[in-house]
Amino acid sequence: MKKILIPSQLLKQINNSIKSSPNYNKYQIKQINRLKKTLISLWMYIYERQIASNESSYDMYVNIGWKELKSFKLILKGRMIQYSELISLLKEAEVIKINKKYSVDCFTRSYKIDLSFLNTTHFTEVEINFEKVFRNLRNKEYWLAKYPKHHNLIENSYNVRIDLDSYIYWLRDNIGKDLKPKCVNGVVQKRKLTPEIAHNSVQKCLKVNLQNLWFKVSATGRFYSNVVNLPSTAIPFMSLYGREGLKSIDIANCQPLLLATRIDSECYKKDVGMGVFYENLATQTNSDRCDIKLQCFKYIFFNEKPLKSGKLYDSMETLYPGVIQSINEMKQKEKLWEILQKKESKIIVERIGVSAGLQVITRHDEILCFSENKIEIQNIIREELKKMNLNVQLK
């Protein structure tokens, strides 16, 4: 058994569900506590399966078959309590929802956590069975064997920790704070820090602290992991090899900058090198910088269709005549996003994360490092971009 931070209101809801049922009146406190731990473990398992299925939405049900759930059981005073009874208790506690629409014949039932109770909660520490919640974990040796070239980045990732106590206090004090917008299903959405997002952020950090890690190297060379995917709000609370205060190095206008290697426009090349591409577009369109950046990602850099009209098109033509036409022609022959990601990965992942052998964490076009390595890393980036005849603004 290990301890975990969960919403304290979850424990209250489960307590009320147990107390309201006459089936559990005969059990002693110790036995009831075992029941509570199993219920919390089951709730966490459903939560983890739901997030793994669709990380961007809390509204989607996830199919979970009986073979996955059958390990959630316990014996109290000689009576076997199976997963189906535990599911019913969680449902009565109003902390999960069950979609029975397709739960006939060969179709499994689907579940999702009910987050409505999180609006008036804080976090508390309880003990649950992690062997049941996080099953079939891959250990470090597995990942090192799978990605031997990325040994340094994997080792570094296993030495990341998040100061959860400080992070949770920060989350509590900043509920309602504006977060970076996200592009969901092609639509730019404004976001605020909600109790649901706070809870999800804590769970992501908890996985990292427990070294429940996964890794993936894409076809373009990008290095993905749940350390890389940590919410940006958690980064100030990160330590690497026990050292806090990591420094961030970020390539300004990274995708537009790398695109300049394929675009014949001195004006465009100058602005992306100075790191003012998004600012100029934001001013021209009278938009927020974050919004216009997401629009560029959606319609220009990570969209295989040509951009032929609209506010963004007009602004690009005004600021950088002919650039959109060059991009559209390029998209007819090759995938622009693949080209840009490969160029980015060669610098950030291969040159700095792999070859340099430094104690760093790479986050796509950002690098987290110790202060004594910052200048060395900045010089490497400048040297690599100079080979492409590009200047760069580092943040």
Side-chain angles (χ1 to χ4, degrees):
M1 291 283 187
K2 294 183 180 180
K3 289 188 175 181
I4 180 176
L5 287 161
I6 64 162
S8 56
Q9 187 65 24
L10 172 64
L11 196 54
K12 184 177 179 180
Q13 299 282 117
I14 288 175
N15 281 334
N16 292 339
S17 179
I18 294 172
K19 288 179 181 178
S20 64
S21 175
N23 296 332
Y24 309 103
N25 292 340
K26 60 183 178 182
Y27 298 119
Q28 299 175 355
I29 293 176
K30 186 176 180 180
Q31 293 167 326
I32 292 296
N33 284 339
R34 285 182 56 217
L35 176 61
K36 290 177 186 176
K37 290 174 185 177
T38 306
L39 286 167
I40 293 169
S41 298
L42 178 53
W43 185 88
M44 276 294 301
Y45 180 72
I46 294 171
Y47 172 84
E48 289 297 328
R49 288 282 279 102
Q50 184 182 349
I51 295 302
S53 174
N54 192 329
E55 190 169 327
S56 65
S57 174
Y58 299 96
D59 296 324
M60 301 295 291
Y61 285 92
V62 59
N63 290 324
I64 308 177
W66 67 271
K67 290 183 180 179
E68 296 179 68
L69 296 172
K70 65 180 182 180
S71 66
F72 291 93
K73 59 186 177 182
L74 73 161
I75 298 175
L76 294 182
K77 282 193 171 182
R79 183 170 82 87
M80 175 68 75
I81 298 178
Q82 302 279 8
Y83 78 88
S84 56
E85 185 174 342
L86 298 172
I87 288 286
S88 296
L89 278 169
L90 291 178
K91 184 176 182 298
E92 290 298 318
E94 298 181 342
V95 295
I96 66 166
K97 292 181 179 180
I98 305 173
N99 182 5
K100 298 181 180 180
K101 186 176 180 180
Y102 301 110
S103 61
V104 294
D105 298 330
C106 62
F107 293 99
T108 58
R109 289 189 179 185
S110 56
Y111 307 87
K112 69 177 180 179
I113 55 173
D114 186 345
L115 292 171
S116 59
F117 70 90
L118 288 177
N119 291 326
T120 58
T121 192
H122 58 278
F123 290 88
T124 190
E125 192 174 54
V126 297
E127 193 176 45
I128 70 168
N129 192 334
F130 268 80
E131 291 180 358
K132 290 184 177 180
V133 176
F134 301 130
R135 293 186 291 176
N136 301 321
L137 299 185
R138 305 292 191 182
N139 59 26
K140 181 168 68 172
E141 288 67 31
Y142 169 87
W143 295 114
L144 289 173
K146 186 175 178 67
Y147 299 116
K149 178 181 175 181
H150 298 78
H151 180 280
N152 184 59
L153 288 174
I154 292 173
E155 283 285 356
N156 291 346
S157 299
Y158 274 97
N159 284 279
V160 167
R161 297 293 182 274
I162 305 298
D163 181 355
L164 270 179
D165 287 341
S166 298
Y167 185 39
I168 288 170
Y169 279 120
W170 184 91
L171 289 169
R172 287 179 188 168
D173 291 342
N174 287 275
I175 295 296
K177 177 184 175 66
D178 288 332
L179 299 176
K180 288 183 179 179
K182 268 193 174 182
C183 192
V184 180
N185 297 324
V187 179
V188 177
Q189 294 183 353
K190 300 281 188 180
R191 298 190 307 145
K192 291 185 180 293
L193 180 60
T194 64
E196 292 89 345
I197 292 176
H199 175 65
N200 188 31
S201 299
V202 170
Q203 299 310 315
K204 287 181 177 181
C205 294
L206 184 65
K207 279 188 176 182
V208 170
N209 284 3
L210 293 169
Q211 297 187 328
N212 175 23
L213 304 183
W214 59 264
F215 302 92
K216 180 181 179 181
V217 180
S218 72
T220 60
R222 271 196 167 188
F223 182 77
Y224 294 91
S225 74
N226 42 349
V227 174
V228 174
N229 291 353
L230 280 171
S232 57
T233 54
I235 302 306
F237 305 92
M238 176 188 289
S239 64
L240 179 61
Y241 292 97
R243 292 180 57 184
E244 299 177 345
L246 297 177
K247 303 300 180 182
S248 171
I249 302 173
D250 196 350
I251 300 177
N253 302 172
C254 185
Q255 303 297 328
L257 177 66
L258 295 173
L259 180 60
T261 59
R262 307 288 295 273
I263 297 295
D264 184 18
S265 169
E266 288 302 318
C267 179
Y268 174 84
K269 188 174 181 179
K270 176 186 174 184
D271 282 358
V272 293
M274 292 175 61
V276 296
F277 171 76
Y278 292 124
E279 285 78 2
N280 289 350
L281 273 180
T283 301
Q284 183 68 27
T285 58
N286 195 27
S287 304
D288 179 79
R289 183 188 183 279
C290 288
D291 289 350
I292 203 66
K293 181 178 179 179
L294 287 174
Q295 292 291 333
C296 287
F297 275 47
K298 176 185 174 183
Y299 294 112
I300 300 177
F301 304 118
F302 294 94
N303 193 321
E304 296 180 15
K305 295 180 180 179
L307 180 64
K308 296 183 177 180
S309 62
K311 192 175 181 180
L312 181 58
Y313 174 89
D314 293 340
S315 298
M316 283 290 295
E317 278 294 283
T318 300
L319 293 171
Y320 312 110
V323 169
I324 279 292
Q325 181 61 33
S326 297
I327 293 173
N328 288 343
E329 291 173 1
M330 198 183 310
K331 287 182 178 181
Q332 293 176 355
K333 303 174 184 177
E334 48 198 341
K335 294 180 179 179
L336 182 61
W337 64 271
E338 284 189 352
I339 296 170
L340 300 179
Q341 285 192 1
K342 284 179 179 178
K343 289 180 179 293
E344 172 198 278
S345 299
K346 282 187 178 295
I347 299 172
I348 303 299
V349 178
E350 293 184 22
R351 182 65 181 88
I352 297 172
V354 174
S355 300
L358 298 170
Q359 293 180 339
V360 297
I361 296 296
T362 61
R363 303 182 79 229
H364 306 320
D365 60 354
E366 180 189 18
I367 298 163
L368 300 173
C369 65
F370 298 133
S371 56
E372 63 266 28
N373 299 130
K374 187 172 182 177
I375 294 176
E376 177 185 357
I377 293 170
Q378 288 175 330
N379 288 337
I380 291 174
I381 295 172
R382 290 191 178 100
E383 287 171 8
E384 292 299 316
L385 289 170
K386 189 175 181 180
K387 294 175 185 178
M388 304 178 193
N389 294 317
L390 295 175
N391 295 319
V392 63
Q393 185 71 27
L394 299 175
K395 296 187 287 184

